[in-house]
Amino acid sequence: MPRTRTATISRAPSSTRGSKKARKPARSAGKSGRRGGQIVDMPAGRTSADDRAQFGSASDYAYAALREAIVARRFPPGRRMREIELAEWLGVSRTPTRHALSRLEIEGLLTLRPRDGLIVSALDSTATEELYEMRAAIEGAAAAMAARHASARDIATLTDLVDREADVAKNASARFQHNLTFHQALYTAAHNRFLIKSLNALHDVIALLGPTTLGVEGRFRDACREHQRIVRAIAARDEQGAAVEASGHVLKALSIRKAMLGLAARDEENSEPAPAAPAMQGKESRR
C-alpha cells in the first residue's frame, strides 16, 4: 500500500499560545527607552497631557505630551528625539508619534540635523534675535487690535492684572507666570484667533532659551511700568500708541536676553576642562 504522508503542525509554546502581547503602559516614573541595546533616559512623572480621553486621536495626544515636555525643558535643547523611544514612552504606535514630531518640527520646536535626525531646537544668537523681532511685530499688532476691539471686561481684566503686579512674589517663577497671564489677557482682548495661535507658538519657542528675563535685577519693575503704558493706550483706544508700547516692551526683553546669552556663553567657555594633570595627581582639574 502507498504510504500516507501526514502533515506536522508546529505549535507555539504553551506559555504564549492563545494570548496577545500586552501593550506597555503609557508611561511610568523614571521609564527609559531602549534602542540598539542602549538605555536612554526619558522624563519621569506625569503631565497635564496624560489624560488621553481629552484628545481626539493618538496623534493629538502625542503632540500635546511632547510639546509640553519640550516647553518645560524636560527634553532639553539638543536632545535627540528618536521615534521608537518616544513611541514607547508615550505608549502609542510609531505612526502618531511620527505625525506629532512633524508638527513640532514645523512649529520650530524640533530641528532636523544631519546624521543625528530630529533634535530639540537650540537657538543661536541670530535665531533668538529673529524670534524676538517677529514677536515684537505680532505683539504690537495684538495691542493695536486690543485697542480697537477690547470690551469693557477685557480692559478691566488687564487693569486688574497691572494693579496686582506689586503683590507678585519676588521670585522668577511667580513673575513669569504673572507675566504670561497678562500677555494671554492681552491676546484675548485682541479678539483674533489666528493671532493668538501665532503668539502662543512663539512663546513655546522662546521657552527653549531657558530662564526668564524677568529674573534679571530690575527687569520686572520696568516690565510692570511697560504693562501700565500698554493698558493705558488700550483703554484710550489709541491703536498706534498701544502698538508702539507693546513692540518696545518685547524689544527691551530682547536686549536683556542678548546680555543673558552673552553671559551664558562666557560661563560655558570658562567651564571647559583644563589640560590633564600629571598622572601622580590622579584626577583632572577644572577651572
Side-chain angles (χ1 to χ4, degrees), residues 10 16 46 68 70 92-93 118 139 151 160 168-170 217 227 232 238-239 242-243 255 273 282:
S10 60
T16 59
R46 296 177 61 81
E68 183 175 341
I70 292 169
V92 299
S93 68
L118 284 175
E139 194 105 13
S151 65
D160 179 63
V168 175
K170 295 181 179 180
E217 182 67 29
H227 289 170
R232 279 200 298 266
D238 179 1
E239 295 181 30
S255 64

Side-chain angles (χ1 to χ4, degrees), residues 177-195:
Q177 289 299 328
H178 180 87
N179 184 68
L180 184 62
T181 301
F182 173 83
H183 284 274
Q184 292 291 344
L186 174 62
Y187 308 156
T188 299
H191 293 279
N192 187 307
R193 72 194 74 178
F194 301 105
L195 179 141

Side-chain angles (χ1 to χ4, degrees), residues 4-282:
T4 302
R5 180 173 296 175
T6 57
T8 301
I9 301 176
S10 60
R11 297 182 180 273
S14 59
S15 60
T16 59
R17 188 169 64 246
S19 64
K20 294 183 179 180
K21 187 176 181 180
R23 179 180 290 274
K24 295 182 178 181
R27 78 178 74 169
S28 59
K31 186 173 181 178
S32 297
R34 184 185 294 271
R35 185 170 187 256
Q38 180 182 8
I39 299 294
V40 180
D41 291 336
M42 304 297 279
R46 296 177 61 81
T47 69
S48 62
D50 280 326
D51 182 8
R52 294 181 58 176
Q54 64 182 301
F55 299 100
S57 67
S59 177
D60 289 341
Y61 158 71
Y63 164 78
L66 290 173
R67 174 179 170 275
E68 183 175 341
I70 292 169
V71 171
R73 296 177 71 84
R74 298 172 74 200
F75 288 127
R79 188 196 193 281
R80 295 178 67 181
M81 302 294 279
R82 298 180 178 90
E83 183 182 302
I84 296 175
E85 295 169 357
L86 294 171
E88 180 181 355
W89 180 66
L90 292 164
V92 299
S93 68
R94 294 178 62 180
T95 298
T97 303
R98 187 180 308 122
H99 291 166
L101 292 173
S102 296
R103 289 173 65 181
L104 293 166
E105 182 184 6
I106 291 171
E107 293 179 2
L109 290 175
L110 299 180
T111 301
L112 185 61
R113 187 165 68 185
R115 294 185 298 277
D116 288 334
L118 284 175
I119 64 168
V120 177
S121 297
L123 304 179
D124 59 19
S125 58
T126 300
T128 299
E129 191 159 357
E130 292 173 354
L131 178 62
Y132 270 89
E133 287 175 347
M134 176 58 72
R135 184 187 162 197
I138 303 180
E139 194 105 13
M145 291 180 189
R148 187 186 319 151
H149 300 302
S151 65
R153 177 175 294 180
D154 292 330
I155 294 174
T157 298
L158 289 167
T159 302
D160 179 63
L161 286 168
V162 167
D163 290 343
R164 288 194 285 112
E165 286 182 330
D167 299 325
V168 175
K170 295 181 179 180
N171 63 74
S173 178
R175 290 174 171 180
F176 170 79
Q177 289 299 328
H178 180 87
N179 184 68
L180 184 62
T181 301
F182 173 83
H183 284 274
Q184 292 291 344
L186 174 62
Y187 308 156
T188 299
H191 293 279
N192 187 307
R193 72 194 74 178
F194 301 105
L195 179 141
I196 291 174
K197 289 182 179 179
S198 298
L199 282 165
N200 285 339
L202 287 175
H203 274 284
D204 287 348
V205 180
I206 287 175
L208 297 174
L209 294 171
T212 175
T213 58
L214 296 171
V216 173
E217 182 67 29
R219 176 55 191 154
F220 186 69
R221 180 190 63 246
D222 293 343
C224 292
R225 293 170 181 167
E226 292 158 18
H227 289 170
Q228 291 170 1
R229 292 197 293 269
I230 293 169
V231 174
R232 279 200 298 266
I234 292 172
R237 304 297 180 183
D238 179 1
E239 295 181 30
Q240 183 176 358
V244 169
E245 293 293 348
S247 296
H249 173 61
V250 175
L251 293 177
K252 292 274 184 62
L254 170 60
S255 64
I256 294 173
R257 176 66 68 183
K258 290 166 73 173
M260 290 172 66
L261 292 175
L263 289 173
R266 287 196 292 274
D267 288 345
E268 185 175 346
E269 181 180 343
N270 292 335
S271 66
E272 289 180 356
M280 68 181 68
Q281 296 182 8

